[in-house]
Amino acid sequence: MDAVLIIQSLISGIMMGMVYALLSVGFSLTWGVMHVIHISHAAFGLLGAYLAYSLLEYFGMDPVVSAAVSVPLLFIVACGVYQLLIKPITKAKEVIVASMILTFGLAIILENVMVLIWKADPRVLTPTYASGALIVGPFYFQYPHLVGFGLSIVGITAIYLFLKKTYTGMAVRAAWQQPEAAQLYGVNLYRISMITFALAVSTAGAGGISLALLNSFEPHSHNLWLIYLFLVVIVGGVGNVIGTAIAGLLIGVITGLAMAFLPYQWVNLVTFGLLMIFLIFRPHGLFKQGV
Amino acid sequence: MLHVDNLTVCYGQMQALRGVSMEVSPGEMVALIGGNGAGKTTLLNTISGLVPPAAGTLSWEGRPLNSLSPDRICREGIVQVPEGRKLFPAMTVEENLIMGAYLPTVRKQRQESLRKVYDIFPRLADRRRQLAGSLSGGEQQMAALGRALMARPRLLMLDEPSLGLSPKAAVEIFATIRRLNKEGLSVLLVSQEVLETLAITVHGYVLENGVVAMKGPSAELREDPQVKMSYLGL
């Protein structure tokens, strides 16, 4: 086999994997902290990608610049979604099941809204540097891929530092580890849940923009993204940010190699197969769960 | 300071507390004893705002506490060390302590509070970077007590602080609680160590099946034949 091709696909796999990680980290947090399996998480990520697309088409805003607009916007939207839809069901007996059904419906609504606004055609983000590439010896890195990769690293690092270094981030971890004690020391669980949810949705938006820099997308792309979310979170351990990052990289590399060396239709078979193997043999993932 | 009046608490159909009345005066250390399932933890959790009362009133310095959320009650200076300690296991000792000073009202003084806690428990200072889940039982109780002190309590409620500890660690914890009380902190102490608890408190309440079966000065409760038989095995 060609060594250059192997290394090249390894590197694209790592880039792709970091993007999966950013897309998944919020999914993992809402699942771990709130026991909400947020099926429309990827759809919100896709919404981030479409916002970046429109801001680029109509205002010529670079995706990285427009992320500074769309990510906070998604944060506000998500606060509203939490108050209106998620908060009422967190009182349900089976929060996980209720949240899955509710957010599945939300995903369908979002998908159709995106079809209405942006049509069902596939889109690509074409910033000014879209056709450029960094060439190092026999390897080449397309600029949009590098930017998407960079955005993911920044996003993951920001989430990690937020959880470790800020009071609110510590409250998120405390609420996951021991909700009752967290309340006793003044943590308002609803407020923390809202922040967790909104932050998760914003990172999904940033992840969606990153992914859109690497791949084309259409209104139903989030269904496939969702499978990757589950795979990454299950391998990485629910609520574990570092685990999510490593799992994302791992899965990125595996799919990257599969794409290079297997017929295209086999790639999803590999990912679904991997998901099944994990669910059967290591349902708690490679790393320990926890925020 | 704290007045509980005719408090009733229900879990579904079951009444966990029925018409409980009690009080804690400033600077006082009050004992709450009783068997398993008597409602001691329920009473503390109701005062802390984790469990809503079905009837009756709770008041703090003359103001009603009913229907305040747990964070508001903590802000009032009523702080609980829960049964089983309930530390944040995947956080370091220092992070656990800092979480005790989460509320903005006490957050500013957290460095000073931290120094105080490390003064009281030098062992916690040695273990500050260790995960709370990896501590021994005695150290965990110190961390739990330290976390509560970080919240600058005016009334400290302790639920079974000696449960699962070695006798030596239990003696240490009781000595610390006593010292804190001597320095002016009001304490509500729930414990199965009836003899020890009645020895260090001024007043006591005996809870049985959700009602106050007996109350009075701790010294008298210790001599009460009923208490001796039920709780001291004498």
Side-chain angles (χ1 to χ4, degrees):
Chain A
M1 249 184 269
D2 187 354
V4 172
L5 182 60
I6 293 179
I7 295 172
Q8 180 76 53
S9 43
L10 265 177
I11 294 170
S12 348
I14 287 172
M15 290 186 169
M16 198 67 199
M18 208 62 210
V19 174
Y20 288 153
L22 177 58
L23 201 58
S24 312
V25 68
F27 186 65
S28 181
L29 280 180
T30 31
W31 187 344
V33 176
M34 301 162 63
H35 306 288
V36 163
I37 297 190
H38 184 200
I39 299 294
S40 49
H41 186 82
F44 276 106
L46 194 55
L47 190 61
Y50 273 113
L51 284 175
Y53 172 80
S54 285
L55 288 168
L56 179 65
E57 288 294 296
Y58 297 108
F59 302 101
M61 259 169 135
D62 184 86
V64 176
V65 178
S66 73
V69 178
S70 48
V71 170
L73 186 70
L74 281 173
F75 188 93
I76 295 166
V77 170
C79 286
V81 170
Y82 174 80
Q83 289 293 347
L84 229 66
L85 299 175
I86 309 293
K87 189 176 170 184
I89 61 144
T90 49
K91 293 181 185 106
K93 248 196 193 129
E94 296 278 352
V95 182
I96 287 197
V97 177
S99 69
M100 283 179 83
I101 295 168
L102 176 83
T103 56
F104 179 60
L106 187 58
I108 294 173
I109 294 172
L110 281 173
E111 181 178 326
N112 286 291
V113 167
M114 288 187 278
V115 172
L116 268 177
I117 300 178
W118 286 285
K119 308 285 177 280
D121 311 317
R123 305 282 179 193
V124 275
L125 279 186
T126 46
T128 44
Y129 45 78
S131 52
L134 176 72
I135 295 163
V136 183
F139 308 112
Y140 70 94
F141 309 98
Q142 286 169 271
Y143 283 138
H145 292 199
L146 286 173
V147 171
F149 180 55
L151 192 60
S152 312
I153 292 179
V154 171
I156 290 270
T157 314
I159 279 277
Y160 182 77
L161 291 178
F162 164 76
L163 288 171
K164 288 284 172 193
K165 300 289 175 199
T166 70
Y167 245 111
T168 311
M170 275 171 66
V172 171
R173 289 157 62 208
W176 185 78
Q177 292 173 26
Q178 195 55 263
E180 194 180 299
Q183 273 182 293
L184 284 177
Y185 295 100
V187 174
N188 181 327
L189 290 187
Y190 286 120
R191 194 177 150 266
I192 288 301
S193 295
M194 182 174 84
I195 290 172
T196 306
F197 185 79
L199 206 69
V201 167
S202 331
T203 54
I209 296 169
S210 306
L211 191 49
L213 283 162
L214 275 71
N215 284 347
S216 70
F217 53 98
E218 44 202 310
H220 62 76
S221 300
H222 69 96
N223 295 311
L224 183 61
W225 295 6
L226 185 66
I227 303 296
Y228 280 94
L229 292 185
F230 271 109
L231 185 53
V232 171
V233 170
I234 286 164
V235 174
V238 174
N240 185 336
V241 175
I242 303 286
T244 303
I246 296 171
L249 288 178
L250 203 69
I251 286 152
V253 167
I254 291 171
T255 47
L257 290 174
M259 277 185 195
F261 297 104
L262 292 175
Y264 184 73
Q265 61 270 32
W266 281 63
V267 175
N268 282 340
L269 190 71
V270 170
T271 37
F272 279 99
L274 209 59
L275 182 58
M276 256 180 243
I277 289 169
F278 262 92
L279 284 175
I280 294 168
F281 296 105
R282 264 200 88 94
H284 294 289
L286 288 180
F287 312 103
K288 72 172 195 278
Q289 307 194 342
V291 183
Chain B
M1 189 144 93
L2 177 75
H3 283 266
V4 176
D5 199 25
N6 225 347
L7 186 74
T8 297
V9 173
C10 303
Y11 294 122
Q13 289 294 306
M14 196 197 73
Q15 284 193 322
L17 294 178
R18 286 175 290 160
V20 169
S21 298
M22 66 164 304
E23 62 181 290
V24 183
S25 309
E28 198 183 29
M29 173 130 73
V30 172
L32 187 60
I33 57 179
N36 280 332
K40 304 176 305 263
T41 300
T42 301
L43 179 54
L44 292 201
N45 284 344
T46 312
I47 297 170
S48 280
L50 291 174
V51 180
T57 55
L58 294 158
S59 70
W60 173 247
E61 297 178 328
R63 281 168 294 132
L65 276 186
N66 296 43
S67 76
L68 286 189
S69 56
D71 49 308
R72 296 293 303 276
I73 286 168
C74 184
R75 200 172 299 211
E76 291 291 331
I78 304 176
V79 178
Q80 187 191 151
V81 181
E83 185 176 8
R85 306 180 265 278
K86 299 208 163 68
L87 291 171
F88 308 117
M91 289 166 93
T92 65
V93 169
E94 188 149 303
E95 283 176 325
N96 266 276
L97 294 177
I98 286 177
M99 271 313 291
Y102 175 77
L103 284 172
T105 40
V106 292
R107 201 177 285 185
K108 280 180 237 94
Q109 306 149 302
R110 68 174 182 277
Q111 289 307 332
E112 193 193 326
S113 308
L114 208 52
R115 264 196 304 279
K116 255 189 213 164
V117 170
Y118 287 148
D119 266 355
I120 300 173
F121 302 113
R123 199 119 47 101
L124 292 183
D126 301 336
R127 304 234 188 276
R128 61 205 285 176
R129 305 244 171 269
Q130 218 167 303
L131 292 186
S134 70
L135 299 178
S136 74
E139 291 164 349
Q140 284 194 12
Q141 190 60 53
M142 289 176 193
L145 188 50
R147 181 178 62 180
L149 294 176
M150 294 291 290
R152 301 269 171 152
R154 290 197 294 140
L155 170 63
L156 186 65
M157 303 192 292
L158 298 128
D159 197 350
E160 304 285 3
S162 62
L163 196 71
L165 299 194
S166 69
K168 185 168 164 278
V171 167
E172 266 179 57
I173 281 291
F174 276 121
T176 311
I177 295 166
R178 204 170 176 181
R179 201 168 72 227
L180 289 167
N181 173 247
K182 285 252 159 64
E183 289 165 9
L185 181 64
S186 313
V187 177
L188 178 55
L189 178 57
V190 170
S191 180
Q192 308 243 22
E193 304 268 341
V194 174
L195 198 61
E196 181 73 48
T197 307
L198 290 178
I200 64 173
T201 51
V202 184
H203 275 90
Y205 293 83
V206 181
L207 218 51
E208 269 171 18
N209 295 320
V211 296
V212 176
M214 264 177 285
K215 62 177 182 177
S218 299
E220 281 176 26
L221 287 177
R222 273 172 85 180
E223 299 307 320
D224 187 281
Q226 193 71 40
V227 173
K228 273 186 173 172
M229 204 175 75
S230 308
Y231 301 106
L232 301 174
L234 299 171

